[in-house]
Amino acid sequence: MFRVPFLVGIALLIAFGGGIASTLVALEATSGFGSIRIGPWDAFPEAQTIEADPYAKSHRADAGKLLYGTAEGLSFTASVDSEGQRLTGECRYRLAGTVPPSRFWTLYAADQQGNVLADASGRPFALNSRTLLREPEGGIDVAIAATAQTYNWLSVPQGQTFKLVMTLLDTPVAGSSGLIDISMPEIRKVECGNA
């Protein structure tokens, strides 16, 4: 008598549970389609447009983040250095080169979910184009390390993997015609451990 409703309940539980689990796995597997890659940096210029794919729209809804319009800006992320090695707080890095033309840009360290790695220690966990000391030629040179560095320093947590997020605001790079012939700063590993 209770066998049929029990089997129907089990079938529905498997169907709904499997559907939800597979959707969550698919969302974690990709940030969407249509990315551009410049060295270790990735960006999704169509993520905030009406042409965005369903995965990009789902990521935007899940994260609850306000994305920039096509003419407003573009966010680049890097979770590896220029040699393809995962960024970690055990190593010291040098971010050097030129930043694409923009009215304003920000740089911060984030965890793998994109949350800012800030704490109450007062360390510089974010930099921007107005507070950064520039090279004589106009390029940037930033030390990224868990321990204090001279000149421009971006603090990262000791022993934890992280990614860098550089957001360009009011930039021609965000338009489709601006993605040609741009360069992003290189991320070079200087040393690891106590060496």
Side-chain angles (χ1 to χ4, degrees):
M1 170 159 96
F2 292 112
R3 182 172 181 227
V4 173
F6 178 71
L7 293 176
V8 169
I10 294 293
L12 289 174
L13 182 65
I14 291 171
F16 284 115
I20 291 170
S22 66
T23 301
L24 292 175
V25 168
L27 286 175
E28 289 297 320
T30 181
S31 293
F33 302 102
S35 73
I36 58 167
R37 180 177 274 279
I38 303 169
W41 300 93
D42 285 320
F44 294 90
E46 293 183 3
Q48 61 270 17
T49 65
I50 195 73
E51 292 86 23
D53 64 90
Y55 290 104
K57 290 178 182 179
S58 297
H59 272 278
R60 179 176 59 201
D62 184 48
K65 292 182 180 176
L66 179 64
L67 298 178
Y68 305 107
T70 306
E72 295 174 331
L74 186 61
S75 286
F76 286 88
T77 60
S79 57
V80 296
D81 62 17
S82 293
E83 280 78 42
Q85 301 295 317
R86 169 87 62 205
L87 297 174
T88 176
E90 293 295 326
C91 299
R92 186 166 54 99
Y93 300 92
R94 180 173 178 237
L95 178 76
T98 59
V99 176
S102 61
R103 185 177 303 264
F104 184 75
W105 57 263
T106 62
L107 172 70
Y108 66 89
D111 63 15
Q112 297 307 316
Q113 289 73 38
N115 302 314
V116 179
L117 292 173
D119 57 20
S121 67
R123 295 173 172 218
F125 61 88
L127 299 171
N128 64 59
S129 57
R130 296 206 175 127
T131 61
L132 194 78
L133 298 171
R134 301 272 185 159
E135 291 288 300
E137 303 83 29
I140 64 168
D141 189 356
V142 178
I144 302 167
T147 57
Q149 305 291 311
T150 58
Y151 200 49
N152 296 317
W153 171 46
L154 183 68
S155 176
V156 294
Q158 179 73 35
Q160 182 178 343
T161 60
F162 64 92
K163 64 182 179 180
L164 297 174
V165 179
M166 180 175 272
T167 303
L168 308 173
L169 299 171
D170 195 10
T171 176
V173 174
S176 60
S177 63
L179 294 176
I180 301 169
D181 294 334
I182 65 168
S183 63
M184 293 292 290
E186 289 188 341
I187 306 167
R188 295 286 176 200
K189 186 185 300 182
V190 176
E191 66 180 3
C192 289
N194 296 325

